[in-house]
Amino acid sequence: MSANESNSSNGGSGAIQLQQSRRLPDFIQSVNLKYVKLGYHYLITHLLKLCLVPLMAVIIVEASRMNPDDVHQLWLHLKYNLVTVITCSAVLVFGSTICIMSRPSSVYLVDYACYRAPDHLRVKFHQFMEHSKLTGDFDESSLEFQRKILERSGLGEETYVPEAMHYVPPRPSMAAARKEAEDVMFGALDMLFKNTNVKPKDIGILVVNCSLFNPTPSLSAMIINKYKLRGNIRSFNLGGMGCSAGVIAVDLAKDLLQVHRNTYAVVVSTENITQNWYFGNKKSMLIPNCLFRVGGAAVLLSNKAVDRRRSKYMLVHVVRTHKGADDKAFNCVYQEHDDQGKTGVSLSKDLMAIAGGALKTNITTLGPLVLPISEQLLFFATLVSKKLLNAKVKPYIPDFKLAFDHFCIHAGGRAVIDELEKNLQLLPVHVEASRMTLHRFGNTSSSSIWYELAYTEAKGRMQKGNRVWQIAFGSGFKCNSAVWEALRNVKPSVNSPWEDCIHR
């Protein structure tokens, strides 16, 4: 939510506290050396490969200087020295085998599909407020608080809420929650299978993430039953992991694709609203009602080399940051009962400060993996001068625009997008996809980063070689990043959620 979303004239003190806390700390001025070490650890793990580069360069240079006589003498030496030939051959074969076997399989994003709800599920602001009033569960202060949040949230008039919330009074039953889950997941999967011509029986790995709705049988079992997936499928159901669980699901699928060769993995990211609407008057629990909306995405990943030619992207990096060891971070997004025994998700006043700390750790870990060497050297030199030599120098903030062409910032609220735009020194075009996703679809939780990627494609901006940074926050508290590289000039898929903005 934005810095001004909580400026309510009624219920003043709680609203003012929320307003003052809805800003990210200026982490630009407080980057710690220990976070940078995490990123350089990734590079050190590949130290052997890096050391072989200059060795190969020296061999190539020396070979280029050899004349025909030198080549003839080397041939004679090898011809009459069988031990040397066998030893060199064995070392070459062994080294090549180790290199090939240890090299991770490339993970390709063949295609993905985002669910777009039917028009009759749209909710305009006046409908939202009218229904909230008619339920009789909210007092005047809470109604005014919700109205202010809606006005300043960044959401538009075309977002969707589940069918159960369109009734007066609402009907949040288990059957209604299952229907919402089925509509979203099956709707996205139907489009994905149709667009990729992949048969459900070909899927070897299934990862589903939904934070607040975890029925029995699981959501992954619902998908297996619907599409009659094969009996030996590796299926996983991730719950309670918040809005950044989509990146976690991709990371899990990536690791599984390293073990199980020549197969497909499907990742389904969604959230369920029907049984998680809050009907109380605690201000910190009312915010999710105003921001979260219906949405979901299905992603098809492959480790088959033959799929590279038809895939949209290749996965380059995944960096995950977890602050759950800290009690404040653990409790800042917390599902609980209010004083009246009504269940909701409470957002702590420390949320933005904790998000800033998690973000700082994540980007300083990611930086050494993606930034040009010139940016890394400037950043590292000023950091060492400041931290070790106590020099009074202004911290150099790497320009992430040199590492990424497109940014998919989780559309959690206007404040998060505003603050990331300022802290990372991004241009309005870099956060356009996030703002438009928030406006058109609201906060769709872990699937929002896929709506943002689809927006970039719909605008015709994704060119071959472009790099995309997906970054999301989640309860726990977590900040996770995924980096993708476009394998071709990417056009929007059939039935893109942004069909109405294509060619504009």
Side-chain angles (χ1 to χ4, degrees):
M1 57 183 291
S2 75
N4 296 320
E5 285 167 19
S6 305
N7 187 14
S8 171
S9 57
N10 293 324
S13 60
I16 291 173
Q17 287 180 359
L18 282 170
Q19 177 183 355
Q20 293 174 341
S21 66
R22 298 301 173 200
R23 299 188 66 85
L24 283 175
D26 190 4
F27 57 84
I28 281 180
Q29 304 298 328
S30 60
V31 177
N32 292 329
L33 187 62
K34 65 179 181 179
Y35 298 138
V36 182
K37 291 178 181 177
L38 294 174
Y40 283 97
H41 171 72
Y42 283 84
L43 298 182
I44 295 302
T45 58
H46 300 289
L47 184 60
L48 179 60
K49 296 179 182 177
L50 294 176
C51 292
L52 289 176
V53 172
L55 178 61
M56 292 299 297
V58 170
I59 293 174
I60 292 173
V61 170
E62 290 297 324
S64 65
R65 294 176 178 176
M66 296 177 66
N67 56 42
D69 290 338
D70 294 329
V71 175
H72 182 67
Q73 290 298 323
L74 178 61
W75 166 250
L76 291 176
H77 174 74
L78 295 176
K79 183 178 180 180
Y80 296 106
N81 197 331
L82 185 60
V83 175
T84 302
V85 173
I86 294 175
T87 302
C88 291
S89 300
V91 170
L92 181 62
V93 171
F94 179 77
S96 300
T97 302
I98 293 296
C99 182
I100 294 172
M101 294 297 293
S102 63
R103 183 179 63 182
S105 298
S106 296
V107 175
Y108 304 110
L109 193 163
V110 180
D111 204 351
Y112 63 97
C114 298
Y115 176 73
R116 182 170 173 172
D119 290 347
H120 72 271
L121 295 184
R122 288 180 179 174
V123 57
K124 296 185 179 296
F125 288 175
H126 76 272
Q127 292 175 304
F128 182 96
M129 292 308 305
E130 181 182 358
H131 279 221
S132 295
K133 185 175 182 179
L134 290 175
T135 62
D137 293 300
F138 306 108
D139 58 30
E140 288 299 322
S141 175
S142 296
L143 289 171
E144 178 64 12
F145 181 78
Q146 291 180 81
R147 186 183 68 81
K148 291 290 186 181
I149 289 179
L150 283 174
E151 290 177 352
R152 295 169 168 84
S153 64
L155 272 70
E157 299 271 4
E158 296 184 329
T159 61
Y160 307 97
V161 296
E163 187 172 351
M165 297 298 108
H166 284 270
Y167 293 99
V168 179
R171 303 174 182 176
S173 64
M174 173 61 77
R178 284 184 180 274
K179 185 178 186 306
E180 180 192 349
E182 291 172 354
D183 289 345
V184 174
M185 296 191 304
F186 300 164
L189 285 166
D190 285 346
M191 280 191 289
L192 182 68
F193 290 138
K194 181 179 179 181
N195 291 347
T196 59
N197 292 319
V198 171
K199 298 177 181 178
K201 288 287 187 181
D202 294 332
I203 305 303
I205 298 165
L206 174 65
V207 183
V208 181
N209 69 269
C210 181
S211 189
L212 294 176
F213 182 59
N214 293 285
T216 299
S218 66
L219 297 177
S220 59
M222 290 166 60
I223 293 174
I224 293 171
N225 176 260
K226 164 70 175 180
Y227 295 98
K228 309 306 176 186
L229 303 184
R230 63 198 199 198
N232 64 342
I233 191 170
R234 277 79 177 178
S235 66
F236 300 85
N237 203 90
L238 308 181
M241 305 193 78
C243 299
S244 67
V247 177
I248 297 174
V250 167
D251 190 36
L252 175 57
K254 177 205 71 175
D255 290 342
L256 291 167
L257 287 170
Q258 301 305 312
V259 179
H260 306 285
R261 304 283 175 154
N262 198 40
T263 191
Y264 289 111
V266 166
V267 171
V268 178
S269 297
T270 187
E271 191 51 78
N272 194 283
I273 298 173
T274 297
Q275 285 196 315
N276 294 290
W277 203 268
Y278 175 60
F279 294 99
N281 292 290
K282 187 174 181 180
K283 299 291 193 297
S284 62
M285 289 183 171
L286 284 170
I287 298 171
N289 285 11
C290 301
L291 297 180
F292 282 87
R293 295 294 184 263
V294 171
V299 183
L300 179 65
L301 303 175
S302 173
N303 57 13
K304 301 179 181 181
V306 70
D307 280 324
R308 179 185 176 92
R309 284 180 290 180
R310 70 168 183 145
S311 296
K312 288 185 171 183
Y313 305 95
M314 180 174 67
L315 183 61
V316 183
H317 299 293
V318 175
V319 173
R320 294 166 55 181
T321 301
H322 206 305
K323 292 291 186 178
D326 178 76
D327 289 342
K328 283 187 176 181
F330 176 78
N331 292 303
C332 71
V333 180
Y334 203 85
Q335 187 179 27
E336 59 183 350
H337 292 302
D338 65 8
D339 294 337
Q340 305 300 317
K342 296 181 179 180
T343 303
V345 177
S346 177
L347 305 182
S348 164
K349 61 184 177 61
D350 300 318
L351 175 59
M352 292 301 280
I354 292 165
L359 174 64
K360 180 173 65 176
T361 306
N362 193 272
I363 66 172
T364 49
T365 303
L366 181 66
L369 303 176
V370 298
L371 287 167
I373 190 65
S374 58
E375 290 292 296
Q376 295 188 48
L377 291 176
L378 285 170
F379 171 69
F380 194 72
T382 55
L383 186 64
V384 170
S385 299
K386 182 178 178 65
K387 298 295 183 182
L388 301 184
L389 304 180
N390 294 319
K392 295 183 178 180
V393 295
K394 185 178 180 180
Y396 178 76
I397 304 306
D399 186 358
F400 280 89
K401 297 188 294 293
L402 298 177
F404 303 111
D405 302 282
H406 308 285
F407 297 79
C408 296
I409 300 167
H410 165 55
R414 195 178 72 184
V416 174
I417 301 172
D418 289 345
E419 293 300 308
L420 277 172
E421 179 182 8
K422 182 182 72 174
N423 276 276
L424 294 178
Q425 301 172 1
L426 303 179
L427 300 175
V429 69
H430 294 131
V431 295
E432 180 182 326
S434 299
R435 293 193 190 282
M436 291 303 296
T437 295
L438 181 65
H439 181 268
R440 177 63 184 82
F441 295 99
N443 181 349
T444 62
S445 190
S446 57
S447 64
S448 70
I449 54 178
W450 298 109
Y451 287 88
E452 294 161 14
L453 187 58
Y455 177 87
T456 304
E457 294 175 4
K459 287 296 184 179
R461 298 172 182 170
M462 191 65 67
Q463 305 298 310
K464 182 178 181 179
N466 282 181
R467 285 200 168 192
V468 185
W469 181 14
Q470 292 179 323
I471 184 166
F473 301 91
S475 57
F477 189 86
K478 301 178 285 295
C479 177
N480 300 320
S481 294
V483 180
W484 303 88
E485 181 178 333
L487 298 176
R488 53 185 168 89
N489 296 342
V490 181
K491 297 180 180 179
S493 301
V494 178
N495 295 317
S496 165
W498 300 97
E499 280 186 329
D500 54 353
C501 78
I502 294 176
H503 305 310
R504 286 186 183 179

